[in-house]
């Protein structure tokens, strides 16, 4: 649990502007290590870790998840999607579930773009979530218009100097 506490503190101390940094960035390392630690932990430890997530950490975890969707497309990497979804599972729909739902749109869309099964990925992440996140991840998949979810939740496909990137339209 000491490693988790250290990583949570490191994410808590991150600076504003993380979402717009180049992809990938050194600032991705702490939330990535935290997501990997969470995904590999037993259920009791995952619940403890999730219970320590502050609003500030939650914001960075959701930004990390959004960034992983873009990197997943660039690298054609289901592992990047797993990391992003693990970050959402760790945050566990704790503060404002609408924020979680928004970030799920690019993760879902990216899975389809790279030929991964979004349902399998979301089910894997739901199995990690210690509380409300499990239901939130599963209920997202019941949305009627998943083929239009990216636009409906305020994202579009874009690019920056380094390649593909999801861009917010809100």
């Amino acid at each position: 649990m000491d490693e988790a506490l250290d990583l949570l503190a490191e994410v808590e101390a991150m600076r504003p502007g993380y979402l717009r940094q180049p992809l990938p960035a050194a600032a991705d390392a702490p939330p990535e290590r935290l997501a990997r630690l969470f995904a590999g932990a037993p259920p009791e430890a995952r619940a403890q870790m999730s219970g320590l997530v502050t609003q500030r950490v939650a914001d960075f975890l959701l930004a990390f998840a959004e960034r992983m969707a873009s990197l997943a497309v660039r690298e054609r990497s289901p592992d990047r999607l797993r990391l992003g979804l693990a970050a959402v599972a760790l945050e566990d729909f704790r503060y404002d579930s609408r924020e979680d739902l928004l970030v799920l749109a690019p993760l879902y869309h990216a899975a389809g773009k790279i030929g991964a099964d979004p349902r399998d990925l979301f089910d894997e992440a739901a199995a990690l979530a210690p509380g409300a996140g499990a239901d939130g991840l599963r209920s997202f998949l019941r949305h009627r218009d998943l083929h239009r979810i990216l636009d409906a939740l305020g994202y579009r496909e874009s690019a920056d100097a380094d390649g593909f990137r999801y861009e917010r339209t809100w």
Side-chain angles (χ1 to χ4, degrees):
M1 193 63 175
D2 288 342
E3 183 179 6
L5 290 171
D6 290 345
L7 288 168
L8 285 162
E10 198 171 341
V11 172
E12 180 91 30
M14 288 174 61
R15 305 185 84 196
Y18 168 61
L19 184 62
R20 297 287 166 225
Q21 288 186 16
L23 289 168
D28 293 322
E32 179 176 337
R33 289 193 317 267
L34 186 58
R36 286 189 190 282
L37 181 65
F38 175 78
E44 306 81 35
R46 289 196 311 268
Q48 281 184 313
M49 288 173 66
S50 181
L52 296 172
V53 170
T54 64
Q55 175 71 61
R56 184 168 169 81
V57 169
D59 291 344
F60 280 110
L61 289 172
L62 295 178
F64 172 77
E66 184 177 322
R67 291 171 59 81
M68 291 303 101
S70 294
L71 275 175
V73 173
R74 285 186 188 183
E75 298 171 358
R76 303 203 53 79
S77 170
D79 186 52
R80 293 288 190 180
L81 294 175
R82 284 185 184 91
L83 287 169
L85 288 164
V88 174
L90 169 58
E91 192 275 341
D92 202 31
F93 283 56
R94 181 167 308 287
Y95 293 98
D96 185 346
S97 62
R98 295 170 298 181
E99 295 288 330
D100 296 81
L101 292 173
L102 290 173
V103 153
L104 293 178
L107 290 163
Y108 180 88
H109 187 267
K113 269 187 94 59
I114 67 170
D117 185 336
R119 294 188 183 279
D120 287 347
L121 293 167
F122 274 62
D123 283 341
E124 285 176 29
L128 296 174
D135 288 337
L137 285 157
R138 288 187 182 108
S139 69
F140 181 86
L141 295 174
R142 292 192 292 270
H143 192 279
R144 284 188 299 223
D145 296 321
L146 284 172
H147 64 284
R148 295 184 18 209
I149 199 71
L150 192 67
D151 182 55
L153 292 183
Y155 288 90
R156 68 176 177 208
E157 294 183 49
S158 186
D160 61 18
D162 298 315
F164 181 90
R165 190 166 194 153
Y166 286 105
E167 181 178 296
R168 293 178 176 186
T169 59
W170 40 279

